[in-house]
Amino acid sequence: MQTCGADCAKKREELFGFIDGKREEMLAFWKELVNHEGRYDEVENLREVAAFLKKGFEEAGFKCELVETGSEFAPVLTGVLGAERKGAPVLFTGHYDTVFKKGTYGDNPFHIENGRAYGPGVLDMKGGIAISLLCAMALNHVGFDARPIRISYAGDEEGDRTVAPNNTVNLLNESSKGCIFAFNMETGVADGGVCIGRKGAADYVVTVKGVAAHPGNAFAKGRNAIEEMAHKILEIQRLTPEDLSYTVSVDLVEGGVSSNTIPDRCQIRIDTRANTNKDAAHIKESIENICAKTYIEGTSTEVTQEGTFPPYETTDGVMKLYGHLVASAEKYGLAVPSKSHLGGASDASRIDAPVLCSCGVPGSGNHTNSEYADVEGFFERAKLLCAAILEADSFAEA
Ligand SMILES: [Zn+2]
């Protein structure tokens, strides 16, 4: 275990003192950010959130840009602090949209009760964005100038990306290139831990076309689309392995028009989840193979893929970064964060650098009215991430 020598102890004292001293200011910023509401599809509201954030980061010295991704979508807020600095940049990523329609919880919904902060998106993930701002301010205060700090915050993460032109994910990917490491500022794990891997998700839609006929007068002419689909459903359901390392589930079925017509159409939707890109590719190929086989001659089958979030894989780079976070926590005398593998997808999968996810405020209840974030955890997290950034040279050398 590394210890904090005299130089380090002085820096630590300055850093922690600054963060503790910014308590009221940062709680006010977090409150205002939460009260600037915006669901993923409320583009005008989201533009106001983005403008508020841009101003906040610019005041901390960032050069920011609101990058348009299409008229139906909120822009991506990108920024860099110290572009001229020599080292490889550190990146903070995430999203500033929420799942809550503006006004769901009345005016000024942010409030604190018994050490917990409440409000739409307080945890998922406006707290995380506010932490990244506090980190930048604290690093400025201690004279950190070794490497640029970048930010990249999307405004459409909670929506249906299948209809989006995918510019956002390309931008997130682009901003991560050349970075030493990245922190995705999503909801922190309730025990104060971070996330080292997430399942990816992809939906498939399968449509069978048959031939409609009257079952009394022309039974032999009919080609029953539901029967054809039934064969396929059973085969698709058998794709999930016993160890559940990936899952495939037919979750919706529609077909037929009445009980006296042989159905000429049947459609299903399939949810699939995988930990690795290899498994995700295997699932795709298996579904396509099943659908390529015809049981009832005269029917045809089409498969389309929708709503894809690639897996956030637990790579060697991810584990090295987790090790670095643990070492930094120990060196600075902070609580060592646990590591979790989670089922829900995130944009950590878009990042082309070692990345940890769930680096935001610890809490729980995302997407529900009981969503809360731990106020103390907000400041602890800022200290931890600053420590990891101050010690980034030892990550580079390891
Ligand atoms: Zn989120």
Side-chain angles (χ1 to χ4, degrees), residues 368-382:
T368 72
N369 63 4
S370 57
E371 173 177 3
Y372 77 86
D374 177 42
V375 172
E376 220 43 63
F378 179 102
F379 297 97
E380 282 297 299
R381 196 67 117 193

Side-chain angles (χ1 to χ4, degrees), residues 95 124-125 157-158 186-187:
H95 63 90
D124 185 7
M125 54 151 276
E157 197 264 357
E158 301 284 14
E186 276 285 356
T187 310

Side-chain angles (χ1 to χ4, degrees), residues 11 29 60 103 107 111 231 397:
K11 196 156 271 189
F29 179 85
D107 292 338
H111 62 281
H231 287 285
E397 287 155 14

Side-chain angles (χ1 to χ4, degrees), residues 193-236:
V194 294
C195 169
I196 53 158
R198 289 175 179 271
K199 281 186 176 173
D203 278 10
Y204 292 86
V205 178
V206 180
T207 310
V208 170
K209 286 200 177 107
V211 178
H214 190 289
N217 299 326
F219 186 85
K221 282 193 180 158
R223 295 288 180 272
N224 192 316
I226 292 178
E227 184 185 349
E228 174 70 17
M229 188 67 94
H231 287 285
K232 291 181 158 123
I233 290 173
L234 290 176
E235 282 205 52
I236 290 165

Side-chain angles (χ1 to χ4, degrees), residues 93 181-184 195-196 312 315 317-318 321 348-349 351-357:
T93 55
F181 54 66
F183 296 125
N184 196 33
C195 169
I196 53 158
Y312 158 41
T315 60
V318 167
L321 182 55
S349 58
I351 302 305
D352 193 8
V355 56
L356 290 175
C357 196

Side-chain angles (χ1 to χ4, degrees), residues 204-207 270 284 287-289 291-292 301-305:
Y204 292 86
V205 178
V206 180
T207 310
I270 311 166
K284 183 172 201 274
I287 290 174
E288 283 168 356
N289 286 343
C291 292
T301 303
E302 196 185 84
V303 191
T304 53
Q305 191 181 352

